[in-house]
């Protein structure tokens, strides 16, 4: 273990505690540096040299606003706010002359992409987007942004002036303000006057919720496509306003690594990324290599990290004619840490991010014409590619749940994808598409490559090793019926694009009862709001037909009813007010006597109680899945669950909770006391939801009555006897399911399947643990189909076994109910199709095996 003072550390790294020395260290880029003394240094605003402490987001904001006031080269736009209300900044750096006409430059840059002639490299500035620290505990990027901006604002070096004259530099100093601030607090509060480099020191070992994630514990580098969070929504809006030619994404990796820059492994690029993109990335890589060679710094490229998933910061731009570049710097995860390469200091990591930022600017300027030409050619190419394609577009339809459908279409439009209503009924591949329920997404539009990626059902790949997921089909994620359209003759589309319908005001008359359509995605949120306002709610466990002001109407099992005779006080006005906060179909029913099916006073009308949900969190649980579930309940249902660390649950009184949710995690013999507590609580009437390894744990301890098949057992099905050592990575790729869609068949008569209107349900799978058939009668809610793989990669050895398994099992356990699912129904909060299963568990779980 090493203990050295901060001052001594910076000295031995040739970055002494003075701003000028750091500038001299970058003389390779900026010879004969001359700074404008009227421009404030970061040190003059922060009160310390960059690298002495981890900068907080409020300090970043303070410095950049100060810089913008002092320099005519810098302007700032607040483009949004994080969940914790921290400002999301877009810092724009260019020459003073170009600052005066940014709107014109932006509009001309976008307009050139659709013109018939290539842009002039002399007249058209290059747009370069520098993005830092989407993972908050990969903090060297955000700290480096301070000095990158200072150099560009204060330097009068001819090379810097050339950057400013030829570029508009969009700088995002912190893609994840909430995570950055969380980590800065952690690292700074554990820093001593004498730095401790021991990797075991608390400074280097974060608590359960790391600074990597945002407020709701999401990885924002996976949200570029899904756009579930305000940080991503603001970023993508600006991306499409500017369409940068080059976009950098500055990260950190393990402490014992060096520095990585792209290109990565060539066989793992997105299939819709053009080869020219890879060529330009390699050209820019030569400038990064030159910079690091000059400083005698170690680095690597063309190994590890892929550019496959369209929702990452270095891949999303590649599908838009930009060149996205991933940088990964070995992390000090604090201020100083031992590594196999010697002491790794925070100031060193910052320096390397600065070097990569300036090598990007240098390489981009040298390749300015080719970068402009490439983006223009990319924008024009869709016309040729669309003519060569084997289909002309996609038709999408959803009859019953307009809320879920509208969410998907709104997401597509946020990505500048054109969506049109159809004006005539049609039939495609044997599926009927009614004009009132369907839209058309033509392939022949500028976003063609992204569209192909979004709707891809590809199952075969040249390289089967994935850094992230292998499929992200959004139609499957939303459980929307869709088909490829082979001929334009099949589709008659409207002239104007689809737009989200305005909110409808329910015109409810005084009635015997009111029925809420459970098929609508917002029906659970409306039900929770009514329960919170002390309304008495009943759930129909069987279908019925009743009289409404418009005549007879069939109501399916799962319909929620507000019966007038059960309410008290002046309830009707409040009921109408709450209903009109949601856009859910609500029908008036005239009589409790139905024309067919159960009557409204039937014993099959179950009392619905407001769920009081506890979630198991803390060390040993999957923080992503806990965060995803928290976010789902908070955003979509209107309440925030109680999250208690797993280690404290055995000593917690659980009696007040109606439901407990267990996401994926490590559960073992050390959790025996927790197991006993959960058994007693469930037997006394609780509803226990478990997923993935939590479900296996309950099954292996005879709580969930089903056999299991673990990931380790799945791996043993692969024969390794004849393999060479070099085959290790390849066989690991075959054993793993990085993320693919599989088909399950639902028992639509089961309460946990109420609200679904078709039996086949795409489910996202990223582990191979399995539950087999439940041993109790009627306990199998969903089973994988005989040919379950829908999209993404899975070796046939895994697919065959999965086809024998059960996806969702539930049964009574004493007075309560236990539920187990092999997958996460809410992966990255984009699985609007399957998270309905969890909603049903919360409101209809008590109906399982009820008589």
């Amino acid at each position: 273990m090493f203990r050295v003072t901060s001052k001594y550390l910076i000295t031995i790294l040739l970055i002494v505690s003075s701003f000028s020395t750091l500038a001299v260290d970058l003389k390779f880029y900026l010879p004969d540096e001359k700074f404008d003394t009227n421009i404030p240094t970061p040190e003059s605003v922060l009160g310390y040299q960059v690298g002495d402490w981890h900068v907080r987001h409020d300090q970043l904001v303070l410095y950049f606003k100060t810089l913008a006031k002092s320099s005519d080269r810098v302007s700032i736009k607040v483009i949004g706010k994080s969940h914790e209300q921290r400002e999301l900044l877009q810092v724009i750096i260019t020459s003073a002359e170009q600052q005066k006409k940014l709107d014109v430059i932006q509009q001309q840059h976008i307009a050139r992409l659709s013109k018939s002639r290539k842009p002039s490299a002399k007249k058209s500035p290059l747009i370069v987007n520098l993005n830092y620290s989407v993972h908050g505990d990969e903090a060297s990027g955000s700290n480096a942004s301070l000095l990158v901006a200072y150099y560009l604002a204060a330097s009068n070096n001819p090379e810097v002036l050339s950057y400013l004259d030829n570029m508009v530099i969009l700088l995002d100093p912190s893609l994840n303000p909430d995570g950055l601030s969380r980590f800065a607090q952690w690292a700074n509060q554990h820093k001593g006057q004498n730095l401790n480099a021991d990797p075991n020191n608390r400074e280097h070992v974060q608590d359960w919720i790391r600074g990597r994630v945002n407020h709701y514990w999401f990885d924002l580098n996976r949200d570029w496509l899904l756009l579930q969070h305000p940080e991503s929504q603001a970023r993508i809006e600006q991306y499409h306003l500017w369409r940068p030619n080059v976009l950098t994404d500055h990260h950190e990796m393990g402490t014992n690594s060096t520095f990585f820059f792209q290109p990565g492994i060539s066989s793992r690029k997105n299939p819709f990324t053009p080869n020219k993109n890879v060529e330009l990335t390699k050209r820019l890589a030569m400038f990064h290599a030159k910079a690091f060679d000059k400083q005698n710094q170690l680095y690597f490229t063309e190994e590890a990290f892929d550019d496959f998933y369209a929702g990452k910061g270095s891949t999303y731009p590649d599908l838009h004619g930009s060149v996205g570049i991933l940088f990964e710097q070995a992390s000090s995860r604090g201020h100083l840490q031992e590594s196999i390469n010697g002491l790794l200091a925070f100031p060193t990591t910052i320096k390397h991010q600065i070097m990569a930022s300036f090598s990007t600017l240098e390489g981009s300027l040298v390749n300015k014409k080719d970068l402009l030409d490439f983006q223009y050619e990319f924008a024009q190419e869709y016309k040729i590619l669309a003519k060569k394609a084997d289909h002309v577009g996609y038709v999408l339809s959803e009859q019953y749940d307009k809320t879920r459908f509208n969410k998907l279409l709104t997401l597509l439009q946020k990505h500048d994808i054109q969506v049109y209503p159809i004006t005539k009924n049609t039939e495609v591949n044997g599926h009927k598409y009614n004009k009132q329920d369907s839209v058309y997404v033509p392939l022949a539009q500028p976003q063609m490559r992204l569209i192909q990626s979004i709707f891809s059902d590809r199952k075969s790949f040249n390289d089967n090793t994935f850094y992230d997921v292998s499929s992200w089909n959004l139609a499957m994620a939303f459980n929307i019926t869709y088909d490829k359209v082979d001929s334009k003759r099949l589709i008659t589309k409207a002239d104007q694009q689809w737009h989200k319908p305005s909110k409808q005001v329910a015109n409810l008359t005084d009635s015997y009862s009111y029925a809420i359509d459970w098929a609508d995605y917002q029906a659970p949120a409306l039900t929770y709001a009514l329960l919170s306002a002390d309304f008495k709610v009943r759930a129909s466990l069987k279908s019925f037909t009743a009289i409404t002001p418009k005549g007879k109407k069939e109501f399916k099992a799962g319909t929620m009813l507000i019966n007038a005779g059960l309410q008290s006080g002046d309830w009707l006005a409040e009921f109408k007010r709450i209903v009109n906060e949601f856009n859910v179909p609500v029908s008036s029913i005239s009589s409790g006597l139905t024309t067919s099916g159960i009557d409204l006073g039937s014993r099959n009308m179950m009392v619905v109680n407001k769920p009081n949900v506890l979630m198991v969190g803390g060390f040993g649980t999957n923080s992503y899945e806990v965060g995803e579930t928290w976010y789902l309940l908070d955003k979509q249902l209107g309440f925030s669950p109680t999250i208690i660390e797993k280690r404290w649950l055995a000593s917690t009184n659980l009696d007040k909770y109606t439901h407990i949710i267990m996401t994926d995690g490590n559960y073992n013999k050390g959790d025996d006391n927790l197991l006993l507590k959960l058994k007693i609580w469930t037997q006394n009437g609780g509803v226990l939801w478990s997923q993935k390894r939590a479900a296996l744990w309950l099954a292996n301890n005879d709580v969930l009555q089903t056999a299991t098949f673990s990931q380790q057992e799945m791996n043993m099905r692969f024969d390794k006897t004849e393999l060479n050592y070099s085959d290790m990575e390849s066989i690991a790729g075959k054993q793993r399911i990085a993320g693919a869609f599989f088909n399950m068949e639902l028992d639509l008569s089961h309460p946990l399947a109420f609200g679904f209107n078709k039996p086949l349900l795409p489910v996202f799978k990223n582990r191979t643990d399995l539950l087999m058939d439940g041993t109790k009668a009627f306990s199998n809610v969903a089973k994988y189909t005989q040919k379950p793989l829908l999209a993404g990669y899975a070796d046939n050895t895994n697919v065959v076994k999965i086809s024998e398994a059960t996806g969702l099992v539930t049964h009574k356990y004493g007075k309560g109910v236990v539920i187990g699912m092999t997958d996460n129904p809410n992966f990255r909060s984009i699985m609007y199709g399957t998270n309905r299963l969890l909603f049903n568990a919360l409101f209809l779980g008590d109906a399982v095996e009820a008589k």
Side-chain angles (χ1 to χ4, degrees):
M1 181 173 66
F2 296 87
R3 286 188 177 86
V4 291
T5 66
S6 177
K7 184 175 180 180
Y8 177 68
L9 164 67
I10 297 173
T11 301
I12 65 173
L13 290 168
L14 301 180
I15 309 176
V16 299
S17 187
S18 71
F19 182 81
S20 60
T21 304
L22 185 54
V24 170
D25 201 45
L26 291 175
K27 281 185 66 176
F28 175 78
Y29 296 105
L30 311 173
D32 304 319
E33 192 63 69
K34 295 179 181 178
F35 292 102
D36 183 344
T37 56
N38 293 316
I39 304 301
T41 66
E43 184 178 10
S44 69
V45 175
L46 302 178
Y48 60 86
Q49 173 62 39
V50 172
D52 279 353
W53 295 91
H54 280 258
V55 70
R56 301 189 311 270
H57 184 261
D58 61 295
Q59 294 172 308
L60 277 177
V61 171
L62 174 62
Y63 178 69
F64 280 104
K65 288 186 175 180
T66 303
L67 188 66
K69 290 179 181 178
S70 306
S71 173
D72 57 6
R73 302 176 185 177
V74 181
S75 60
I76 283 183
K77 185 177 180 182
V78 177
I79 59 175
K81 290 186 177 181
S82 70
H83 283 297
E84 295 177 12
Q85 298 302 296
R86 292 184 172 90
E87 290 181 334
L88 304 170
L89 299 185
Q90 183 182 71
V91 182
I92 306 176
I93 307 176
T94 188
S95 67
E97 181 181 350
Q98 292 189 146
Q99 281 285 350
K100 298 174 183 177
K101 51 182 181 179
L102 284 177
D103 289 344
V104 174
I105 291 173
Q106 180 265 325
Q107 292 166 11
Q108 290 179 344
H109 176 74
I110 297 299
R112 288 187 190 102
L113 299 180
S114 59
K115 291 187 175 180
S116 57
R117 296 180 62 184
K118 291 182 180 179
S120 166
K122 291 184 178 179
K123 297 180 181 179
S124 305
L126 201 65
I127 312 300
V128 178
N129 191 183
L130 305 177
N131 291 282
Y132 299 98
S133 300
V134 71
H135 297 141
D137 60 357
E138 299 176 5
S140 58
S142 287
N143 284 265
S145 73
L146 294 161
L147 290 172
V148 171
Y150 173 77
Y151 280 121
L152 294 172
S155 173
N156 288 307
N157 177 273
E159 189 170 348
V160 170
L161 297 178
S162 182
Y163 298 154
L164 300 172
D165 289 338
N166 286 278
M167 299 179 186
V168 173
I169 300 166
L170 310 175
L171 187 150
D172 190 325
S174 175
L175 295 170
N176 181 5
D178 298 344
L180 179 77
S181 296
R182 184 186 308 122
F183 180 66
Q185 176 69 19
W186 180 271
N188 289 336
Q189 74 180 3
H190 293 107
K191 176 189 176 184
Q193 182 175 343
N194 298 289
L195 300 185
N196 188 323
D198 186 347
N200 296 317
N201 185 38
R202 186 166 170 79
E203 179 183 3
H204 308 302
V205 184
Q206 296 176 62
D207 213 337
W208 178 58
I209 299 304
R210 298 164 48 194
R212 176 183 179 88
V213 292
N214 78 335
H215 174 79
Y216 282 102
W217 313 340
F218 279 67
D219 183 340
L220 290 178
N221 194 40
R222 305 301 190 268
D223 198 43
W224 286 66
L225 179 66
L226 311 180
L227 301 185
Q228 292 299 295
H229 299 277
E231 300 92 337
S232 310
Q233 293 163 12
R235 179 169 69 247
I236 290 300
E237 182 180 4
Q238 292 303 311
Y239 177 87
H240 287 292
L241 286 174
W242 280 101
R243 287 293 175 93
N245 301 97
V246 177
L247 183 146
T248 66
D249 189 19
H250 294 257
H251 289 253
E252 291 180 358
M253 53 184 166
T255 303
N256 290 322
S257 299
T258 57
F259 193 92
F260 170 83
F261 51 83
Q262 286 180 314
I265 299 174
S266 59
S267 61
R268 298 179 191 171
K269 79 172 181 67
N270 187 289
F272 300 107
T273 297
N275 291 328
K276 182 69 173 181
N277 174 284
V278 179
E279 177 191 326
L280 288 167
T281 304
K282 286 184 176 180
R283 280 202 230 167
L284 295 178
M286 300 305 295
F287 291 86
H288 311 319
K290 183 174 67 172
F292 280 77
D293 286 346
K294 184 73 172 180
Q295 297 291 319
N296 295 321
Q297 297 298 312
L298 296 175
Y299 57 88
F300 65 100
T301 185
E302 295 190 284
E303 58 179 288
F305 305 106
D306 68 31
D307 245 348
F308 189 77
Y309 170 46
K312 291 194 302 186
S314 60
T315 310
Y316 186 86
D318 293 344
L319 298 176
H320 291 82
S322 305
V323 175
I325 306 174
L326 171 67
F327 294 117
E328 295 273 358
Q329 162 63 45
S331 179
S332 63
R333 283 293 192 273
H335 295 86
L336 177 69
Q337 191 170 167
E338 300 166 15
S339 81
I340 62 172
N341 299 310
L343 287 174
L344 180 60
F346 187 42
T348 299
T349 68
I350 295 170
K351 182 180 75 170
H352 292 167
Q353 299 283 20
I354 296 170
M355 289 164 59
S357 300
F358 277 96
S359 62
T360 298
L361 297 179
E362 182 185 8
S364 297
L365 183 58
V366 171
N367 290 280
K368 178 182 177 183
K369 182 179 185 305
D370 289 341
L371 288 165
L372 287 169
D373 287 350
F374 167 65
Q375 188 178 57
Y376 172 79
E377 291 162 1
F378 181 100
Q380 302 298 314
E381 193 177 19
Y382 80 88
K383 302 168 188 175
I384 300 171
L385 294 176
K387 290 180 180 178
K388 294 180 179 179
D390 63 357
H391 58 292
V392 298
Y394 299 88
V395 61
L396 296 82
S397 185
E398 171 55 45
Q399 178 182 353
Y400 299 100
D401 186 354
K402 299 305 182 186
T403 297
R404 176 163 44 89
F405 195 33
N406 292 345
K407 285 179 180 292
L408 172 60
L409 303 184
T410 301
L411 176 59
L412 295 179
Q413 290 188 332
K414 285 181 180 179
H415 290 290
D416 271 6
I417 293 173
Q418 299 167 18
V419 179
Y420 296 89
I422 64 172
T423 57
K424 290 184 180 179
N425 298 343
T426 188
E427 184 172 320
V428 180
N429 297 328
H431 296 139
K432 293 183 179 180
Y433 289 90
N434 296 322
K435 61 182 180 181
Q436 66 268 24
D437 302 318
S438 307
V439 298
Y440 177 59
V441 180
L443 209 55
Q445 58 174 296
Q447 287 293 66
M448 175 181 173
R449 291 180 185 269
L450 185 64
I451 292 168
Q452 288 176 303
S453 185
I454 283 173
F455 294 109
S456 173
D457 57 5
R458 184 174 182 173
K459 304 181 189 73
S460 177
F461 305 86
N462 295 329
D463 189 325
N464 297 329
T465 304
F466 299 94
Y467 183 73
D468 201 72
V469 299
S470 63
S471 178
W472 47 93
N473 186 302
L474 292 183
M476 293 181 185
F478 281 77
N479 190 24
I480 299 299
T481 301
Y482 81 107
D483 272 295
K484 287 182 179 179
V485 179
D486 297 331
S487 171
K488 291 181 180 178
R489 294 192 301 271
L490 295 172
I491 296 293
T492 304
K493 70 177 183 65
D495 294 330
Q496 300 298 317
Q497 287 196 52
W498 175 88
H499 61 86
K500 185 177 179 179
S502 57
K503 198 170 184 179
Q504 299 296 311
V505 177
N507 184 20
L508 300 174
T509 58
D510 290 358
S511 294
Y512 180 88
S513 184
Y514 301 90
I516 299 169
D517 184 356
W518 192 245
D520 190 278
Y521 189 80
Q522 286 198 99
L526 170 56
T527 301
Y528 185 84
L530 291 170
L531 291 168
S532 298
D534 294 327
F535 280 85
K536 304 298 187 294
V537 182
R538 297 290 186 266
S540 172
L541 302 185
K542 292 186 178 181
S543 62
F544 62 94
T545 301
I547 301 296
T548 74
K550 297 180 180 180
K552 293 181 182 179
K553 182 175 181 179
E554 182 185 2
F555 295 91
K556 295 186 177 182
T559 298
M560 296 289 166
L561 293 126
I562 309 297
N563 299 315
L566 295 178
Q567 313 311 319
S568 59
D570 185 17
W571 63 274
L572 187 57
E574 177 67 1
F575 174 70
K576 292 178 179 179
R577 184 193 67 78
I578 294 175
V579 165
N580 281 315
E581 290 180 3
F582 301 85
N583 206 22
V584 178
V586 177
S587 301
S588 300
I589 295 179
S590 305
S591 171
L593 181 65
T594 64
T595 59
S596 66
I598 61 174
D599 293 320
L600 269 58
S602 168
R603 295 176 182 176
N604 283 295
M605 290 289 180
M606 183 187 77
V607 174
V608 180
N609 296 308
K610 186 173 76 169
N612 188 5
V613 180
L614 181 149
M615 287 182 59
V616 183
F619 286 108
T621 63
N622 185 320
S623 62
Y624 289 134
E625 292 193 12
V626 176
E628 288 160 2
T629 310
W630 171 28
Y631 181 65
L632 174 74
L633 302 181
D634 202 16
K635 181 182 180 184
Q636 303 296 355
L637 289 191
F639 71 90
S640 190
T642 297
I643 303 173
I644 299 179
E645 295 215 9
K646 179 160 71 84
R647 56 181 171 166
W648 302 124
L649 275 172
S651 59
T652 300
N653 184 352
L654 305 180
D655 292 346
K656 65 187 291 187
Y657 304 104
T658 61
H659 294 72
I660 293 179
I661 297 175
M662 301 177 68
T663 65
D664 186 45
N666 294 310
Y667 299 89
N668 49 47
K669 285 289 185 182
D671 296 311
D672 285 350
N673 289 336
L674 170 61
L675 179 67
L676 178 60
K677 190 90 174 215
L678 292 173
K679 285 182 175 181
I680 296 172
W681 174 83
T682 309
Q683 288 172 335
N684 287 335
V687 177
L688 178 60
W689 170 282
S690 62
Q691 62 197 50
K692 297 170 75 170
R693 285 179 293 171
L696 265 69
W697 179 65
L698 292 179
N700 291 334
N701 285 279
D702 299 322
V703 179
L704 194 64
Q705 300 299 303
T706 176
T708 66
F709 208 80
S710 70
Q711 185 160 281
Q712 291 74 18
E713 291 174 296
M714 289 286 276
N715 290 346
M716 290 173 64
R717 290 164 53 85
F718 290 81
D719 185 7
K720 309 181 188 70
T721 54
E722 301 297 324
L723 298 181
N724 296 321
Y725 186 81
S726 59
D727 296 321
M728 188 183 304
E729 185 178 23
S730 175
I731 192 66
K734 289 183 177 182
Q735 292 171 324
R736 178 176 177 240
I737 296 178
F741 281 96
F742 284 75
N743 213 7
M744 290 198 310
E745 185 169 4
L746 290 168
D747 175 0
L748 292 180
S749 69
H750 198 285
L752 293 192
F754 288 174
F756 290 92
N757 288 283
K758 53 188 179 182
L760 296 181
L761 175 66
V763 62
F764 190 83
K765 193 167 195 63
N766 63 356
R767 282 187 65 89
T768 56
D769 303 300
L770 298 175
L771 299 174
M772 310 312 287
D773 279 353
T775 57
K776 284 200 170 188
F778 315 115
S779 63
N780 298 320
V781 183
K783 292 176 65 70
Y784 296 101
T785 60
Q786 285 300 305
K787 294 182 179 179
L789 183 61
L790 292 173
Y793 173 74
D795 187 88
N796 191 56
T797 304
N798 284 329
V799 174
V800 169
K801 189 65 180 178
I802 291 169
S803 69
E804 302 171 357
T806 299
L808 183 63
V809 176
T810 182
H811 55 76
K812 295 292 280 189
Y813 188 79
K815 296 179 181 179
V817 175
V818 60
I819 305 167
M821 187 171 183
T822 54
D823 305 299
N824 174 10
N826 189 40
F827 181 74
R828 293 177 183 166
S829 277
I830 197 64
M831 301 300 154
Y832 286 82
T834 52
N835 60 31
R836 153 77 63 171
L837 296 169
L838 181 57
F839 293 167
N840 284 352
L842 296 181
F843 293 95
L844 295 164
D846 288 334
V848 172
E849 292 189 9
K851 301 300 182 184

